[in-house]
Amino acid sequence: MLDLLTGQSAKPKTLRPHQARAIEAIRQSLGKGNRRVVCQGPTGFGKTLTAAKVIEGALAKGNRVIFTAPAVSLIDQTVSAFENEGIRDIGVMQANHPRTDALARVQVASVQTLARREIPEASLIIVDECHLRAKVIEELMDSREDVFFIGLSATPWAKGMGRRWQDLVIPCTIGELIEAGYLSQFTAYAPDVPDMTGVKVSKGDYAEGDAAEVMQGNALMASVVDTWLGKGQNRPTLLFGVNRAHAKALSEEFERAGVATAYVDAFTDTVERSIIERRFRSGEVKVACSVRTLTTGVDWPVSCIIDAAPTKSEMLHVQKIGRGLRVNPGTEDLLILDHAGNSLRNGLVTDIEHHTLDKTAPGERQERKPSEKLPRECANCAALHTGLTCPFCGHERKPVAGVETVDGELVELTPKRAKSEKATREEKQSVYSMALWMADQRGYKPGWAANKYREKFGVWPRGLSDERRPADQGFLNWEKSRRIAWAKSKQKGAS
Ligand SMILES: [Zn+2]
């Protein structure tokens, strides 16, 4: 076995316990004869430091190392991070980069550059964000059996990863890092559950165009801003829209409400990005809007995440929330306003666990067991939680039919269905038409009807006709009961 990780490198005092554990776990895995090992470390794990220690160990044994980053924009920060750890012998593989040095024993490269180059000699290749499964990396893994590969990722759950990578080590979980104070506590709310029935699914996730259409419904757009104004406490906020047009539209919605925003994505150049970052850090910009694909590279002090980009991908979900889990002075906890239903669909980020790599063959359907612990809203404070007792307000959830507890956790026996799915389309249309009719009768705006509809079905109306229909007795009774409930809640609040 190539001894990568011992030698003069060990400076345990600079490693946090989970980082030391990671290095030990990788060492043990290599000791068992594995040559392709993935280390799962959440955001804030300190993977650059961990990688630096691994590199030091390899250099000390006379090995050459390549470190690959998923984007050119990440090269410079990686190099300076390694230099801060005392690694000097670094060359960058990128056209016209001032740090080009083919003789340096550590080469830092983006996967894009690597794809176009002769790969230099190396005993070890460290692959950052290995869940992205870059083609050039996989080809290298196939052709260079002599080289050791160490993959780093917060979410190494991509389909088929286990067909090339041999072992997964998990030195710590998000929950453990929160517990130890290295990551933020968080509270998640799901103020909207978008109706995704009928939305096209492509490669396992919602098709962008369809998802954007659902999320651009007027009522949903307004709800994002209203919720933030009500719950957001003016926190520095990162917003995810489905795509650029959707994120821009949301940003305009915020601007109309007097909230300063900025737009940033993977294509925002470094100069503009640093200007936006400065304005964000100073509080001049409150809500930074982006798209669901922005999951790396923005490490600003965020204490609220608005998620308006529905996904079925646990990886994307965890990566997005990860943007807000770092502990920043003054903003020790994270508020998640999930307008996309992602936490309900995929689970809270502390509950998503996989202990092995996926071995699905290309073309085969990935068997993915959904998280056993899906959270639900607390009836009292609306925070999402699993289990019977709300950790935020202490409210006790009553076990209901079709649900039982396993190990103290509430587990639904039947798949969760949105309220809206139980009603037929005809029923939904009928309620919406009656609500529109009533809005006309009373001189309310059509938005009132959309709100009534959402009260009833838990989702905003979508794809329905706006024909009017006189309200029947059932609707009148229901609408009246809502008004009484509302009046009572007001009285309670006033007394
Ligand atoms: Zn509660």
Side-chain angles (χ1 to χ4, degrees):
M1 182 192 90
L2 175 68
D3 194 356
L4 296 167
L5 303 162
T6 54
Q8 66 197 36
S9 65
K11 287 183 196 143
K13 65 175 186 289
T14 64
L15 288 176
R16 291 173 169 176
H18 56 268
Q19 295 162 341
R21 227 163 34 235
I23 291 182
E24 179 56 23
I26 295 171
R27 200 188 65 79
Q28 281 183 12
S29 180
L30 294 174
K32 285 183 221 153
N34 291 317
R35 286 174 161 263
R36 282 100 168 85
V37 179
V38 174
C39 175
Q40 175 180 320
T43 323
F45 168 82
K47 67 182 172 187
T48 319
L49 173 61
T50 307
K53 294 297 164 192
V54 171
I55 291 170
E56 269 182 16
L59 292 179
K61 295 280 169 181
N63 297 296
R64 299 173 67 91
V65 182
I66 302 174
F67 182 94
T68 73
V72 174
S73 60
L74 299 170
I75 296 289
D76 288 342
Q77 69 189 59
T78 305
V79 171
S80 42
F82 286 167
E83 280 180 338
N84 287 341
E85 297 309 323
I87 299 174
R88 298 278 167 231
D89 200 5
I90 305 175
V92 171
M93 293 173 63
Q94 189 191 316
N96 305 319
H97 197 285
R99 294 291 304 264
T100 303
D101 176 3
L103 295 177
R105 290 185 301 149
V106 179
Q107 295 291 326
V108 176
S110 72
V111 287
Q112 294 90 335
T113 315
L114 217 52
R116 294 191 293 267
R117 298 274 184 111
E118 191 81 9
I119 312 290
E121 251 343 282
S123 320
L124 169 67
I125 300 183
I126 301 178
V127 183
D128 196 12
E129 309 292 351
C130 60
H131 63 277
L132 296 173
R133 293 197 54 192
K135 193 159 167 257
V136 58
I137 301 293
E138 305 213 321
E139 285 169 359
L140 268 176
M141 292 177 84
D142 292 346
S143 64
R144 296 293 300 276
E145 291 213 347
D146 55 314
V147 176
F148 287 78
F149 286 79
I150 295 175
L152 306 173
S153 171
T155 56
W157 313 320
K159 181 182 164 188
M161 272 188 78
R163 299 177 67 81
R164 283 194 176 79
W165 298 93
Q166 296 164 308
D167 195 18
L168 171 65
V169 301
I170 306 177
C172 63
T173 63
I174 292 181
E176 286 162 2
L177 290 192
I178 291 175
E179 193 86 350
Y182 293 122
L183 292 179
S184 290
Q185 304 275 353
F186 67 86
T187 313
Y189 296 92
D192 300 296
V193 184
D195 184 354
M196 302 304 283
T197 21
V199 168
K200 226 189 313 164
V201 173
S202 147
K203 289 183 185 159
D205 207 353
Y206 297 120
E208 186 185 297
D210 277 27
E213 199 189 314
V214 173
M215 298 307 289
Q216 296 210 56
N218 290 338
L220 262 177
M221 298 283 284
S223 166
V224 171
V225 176
D226 288 350
T227 304
W228 189 84
L229 292 173
K231 274 197 155 84
Q233 303 158 340
N234 220 19
R235 287 165 179 250
T237 299
L238 181 59
L239 174 152
F240 292 103
V242 176
N243 55 21
R244 193 183 168 96
H246 178 222
K248 288 249 173 187
L250 280 170
S251 134
E252 281 158 21
E253 200 82 21
F254 271 103
E255 294 280 344
R256 266 196 293 278
V259 179
T261 66
Y263 177 81
V264 62
D265 67 17
F267 300 102
T268 310
D269 75 35
T270 32
V271 177
E272 196 188 350
R273 187 174 286 204
S274 66
I275 294 170
I276 296 172
E277 177 170 359
R278 199 163 54 233
R279 295 177 61 213
F280 188 79
R281 285 181 182 273
S282 74
E284 202 186 319
V285 162
K286 272 294 160 202
V287 179
C289 300
S290 192
V291 288
R292 60 178 174 178
T293 46
L294 180 95
T295 51
T296 49
V298 169
D299 288 319
W300 303 349
V302 163
S303 71
C304 174
I305 287 197
I306 298 176
D307 193 354
T311 182
K312 291 164 84 80
S313 160
E314 292 176 328
M315 289 192 285
L316 210 45
H317 176 53
V318 172
Q319 295 275 351
K320 278 193 287 187
I321 302 304
R323 297 293 98 206
L325 284 175
R326 279 175 205 278
V327 176
N328 307 296
T331 58
E332 272 79 11
D333 70 318
L334 172 68
L335 173 68
I336 300 167
L337 303 177
D338 182 348
H339 293 267
N342 289 332
S343 302
L344 298 171
R345 192 180 299 116
N346 301 298
L348 297 173
V349 294
T350 35
D351 290 326
I352 299 174
E353 289 184 336
H354 298 286
H355 300 287
T356 52
L357 298 168
D358 182 87
K359 289 190 174 162
T360 311
E364 238 175 65
R365 211 186 164 80
Q366 184 179 12
E367 288 283 332
R368 182 113 282 179
K369 198 163 73 79
S371 175
E372 279 171 11
K373 292 188 202 169
L374 289 180
R376 298 195 306 152
E377 223 172 50
C378 167
N380 182 48
C381 74
L384 301 185
H385 70 93
T386 53
L388 289 176
T389 308
C390 174
F392 303 98
C393 74
H395 181 79
E396 290 280 333
R397 186 135 61 199
K398 292 198 178 51
V400 294
V403 168
E404 68 177 28
T405 55
V406 177
D407 297 339
E409 294 292 345
L410 199 63
V411 177
E412 284 205 58
L413 298 177
T414 44
K416 195 186 222 43
R417 288 175 55 151
K419 284 185 210 164
S420 62
E421 290 173 39
K422 289 173 189 154
T424 65
R425 190 177 173 81
E426 176 48 33
E427 285 162 353
K428 289 172 161 181
Q429 177 66 61
S430 165
V431 165
Y432 188 47
S433 292
M434 290 192 281
L436 285 167
W437 176 85
M438 188 168 262
D440 288 349
Q441 297 291 311
R442 295 191 181 155
Y444 299 157
K445 291 187 178 148
W448 179 86
N451 269 300
K452 288 291 134 188
Y453 181 94
R454 190 174 76 130
E455 276 177 32
K456 186 138 184 94
F457 297 117
V459 297
W460 297 106
R462 183 172 70 89
L464 297 175
S465 120
D466 50 13
E467 73 184 58
R468 268 65 172 168
R469 190 178 301 175
D472 63 17
Q473 198 56 48
F475 184 87
L476 291 172
N477 290 348
W478 174 76
E479 196 275 332
K480 190 173 163 192
S481 73
R482 300 304 303 166
R483 271 184 292 132
I484 292 169
W486 184 80
K488 276 190 179 157
S489 74
K490 283 280 151 186
Q491 263 173 12
K492 212 169 142 195
S495 62

